[in-house]
Amino acid sequence: MIAHFIERPKVGGCIECARQGGFNVVKMSQEDRQYFKNGAKTLCGTELLFVIRIIEDKDLIKVIDSEDLEFMKHELGRQAGAIWAKLLRALKKLDFKETQRILTGGTGE
């Protein structure tokens, strides 16, 4: 999902350019924000951790606009809260298949 924002031709910068110091900051359009928001809602626990690691990359932080980075962190935080609530409900019921599904996105079978 993050590659969507990096590889688009209208972006004007890339990770390699950021490493060399010559880059343009990526600004998300309203369409990009909606795409990210909808995508974040579908993440399982493992995917969420992976996306968080990607957006915290020191080279990527130089390329993404700070407002957009805060937006992404906010949306990922909301999803983390939702995953945590689902996880606690499943554990309270001792439903370990559901717990596995929440964490890995699989069917739990």
Side-chain angles (χ1 to χ4, degrees), residues 30-84:
Q30 193 61 32
E31 178 186 320
D32 293 335
R33 284 177 175 251
Q34 193 62 39
Y35 181 82
F36 187 87
K37 187 174 186 175
N38 291 338
K41 290 178 183 177
T42 65
L43 298 175
C44 69
T46 306
E47 293 167 334
L48 181 73
L49 293 175
F50 182 72
V51 172
I52 289 171
R53 292 278 292 154
I54 289 174
I55 68 167
E56 289 181 346
D57 180 62
K58 62 181 178 168
D59 293 328
L60 189 63
I61 288 174
K62 296 176 188 175
V63 178
I64 296 178
D65 182 54
S66 61
E67 274 186 29
D68 294 333
L69 190 61
E70 288 303 313
F71 166 76
M72 287 189 274
K73 287 181 180 180
H74 175 75
E75 290 302 321
L76 293 174
R78 289 172 58 140
Q79 181 62 11
I83 289 172
W84 184 247

